[in-house]
Amino acid sequence: MSRRRTCALVLSLLLLVLGGAGQARAVGYRYWSFWDLTGGKWTYATQGPSTARPSDGDVQGFRFAVSADSQDASKPRGHADFASICAKTPAQAGHKRVALVIDSGTAADAPGGETPPAPRSVCARVPADATTAEALATVAKPLRYDTNALLCAIAGYPGTGCGEQVATSRTTPPTTATANADADGKDNADATSEPPRHGPSLGLLAGVVAVAALGGAAVWQTRRRRP
């Protein structure tokens, strides 16, 4: 095999690897994720809202977004301080107050033809044994569930769909705002956009290394065959 042929083969293989990487897209799901505020930081809830029973003074959040899993999930944006969220809701005997942060996400995550409502924080006063789902129902009707009790819509958003699969070009978890980001409908840059960060994937790097190895082997064989 001539050196020219070897170079052409290596170049063709490299183009195939790069072309395949450009077409690869991750798969995510469009859904409402559920969060607990612990120590001033959002943590992905270990129970669903229909079984979780928050205590008086707890802060919980919901975020609508396209996510691959809990590690990739976008956190709620907006104000997350119990004292200020529930400042105008007095305590009542036999009841508890739960602060809820409801973030309908960005336009990029919205189903086609729908516009996400602005993030909001509300205080729910409910019986002491109420679940998070029951607290949410008092402040954000209508709620919509599927046949498996998966929460599909809060305050009617989105109008259709429930946990559907979505192709996404995200390669790393999105940048999210902290729990103490600005609220009151004043969306700063962190609270309105979540630009994905792109970088070479492990598969792409492995492909390039493999092509380089093939090229080196071909050149070695060419030199070996020379008289």
Side-chain angles (χ1 to χ4, degrees):
M1 183 184 291
S2 68
R3 183 174 295 182
R4 181 175 297 177
R5 277 188 172 184
T6 300
C7 291
L9 175 60
V10 172
L11 180 59
S12 298
L13 290 172
L14 185 59
L15 288 174
L16 284 173
V17 170
L18 293 175
Q23 294 171 2
R25 295 179 69 84
V27 174
Y29 297 87
R30 183 182 285 122
Y31 69 102
W32 282 98
S33 57
F34 175 41
W35 301 79
D36 291 314
L37 190 68
T38 306
K41 296 182 179 180
W42 288 115
T43 58
Y44 203 88
T46 57
Q47 296 185 66
S50 61
T51 58
R53 296 184 187 277
S55 300
D56 182 70
D58 281 354
V59 179
Q60 298 182 310
F62 292 88
R63 173 66 190 265
F64 186 78
V66 175
S67 308
D69 51 40
S70 61
Q71 299 300 315
D72 176 61
S74 299
K75 300 175 183 178
R77 304 165 298 169
H79 200 55
D81 176 66
F82 175 81
S84 57
I85 294 174
C86 289
K88 297 181 179 180
T89 305
Q92 187 176 27
H95 288 68
K96 61 186 175 185
R97 293 174 299 164
V98 181
L100 299 173
V101 178
I102 303 170
D103 184 354
S104 300
T106 67
D109 289 326
E114 297 203 48
T115 301
R120 64 190 181 108
S121 300
V122 291
C123 186
R125 186 173 58 197
V126 291
D129 63 346
T131 64
T132 301
E134 290 170 333
L136 185 64
T138 66
V139 295
K141 289 182 178 179
L143 304 180
R144 178 166 57 85
Y145 294 88
D146 72 357
T147 54
N148 297 311
L150 176 66
L151 180 60
C152 304
I154 297 177
Y157 181 83
T160 60
C162 191
E164 64 270 26
Q165 197 174 80
V166 180
T168 173
S169 59
R170 264 184 196 156
T171 56
T172 59
T175 302
T176 55
T178 62
N180 293 321
D182 253 336
D184 321 321
K186 297 178 182 177
D187 296 332
N188 54 27
D190 288 335
T192 55
S193 62
E194 296 175 322
R197 294 176 292 173
H198 299 280
S201 67
L202 183 60
L204 172 58
L205 295 177
V208 171
V209 171
V211 170
L214 286 172
V219 170
W220 180 77
Q221 286 285 351
T222 300
R223 289 178 177 174
R224 186 182 179 189
R225 290 174 183 171
R226 286 181 179 173

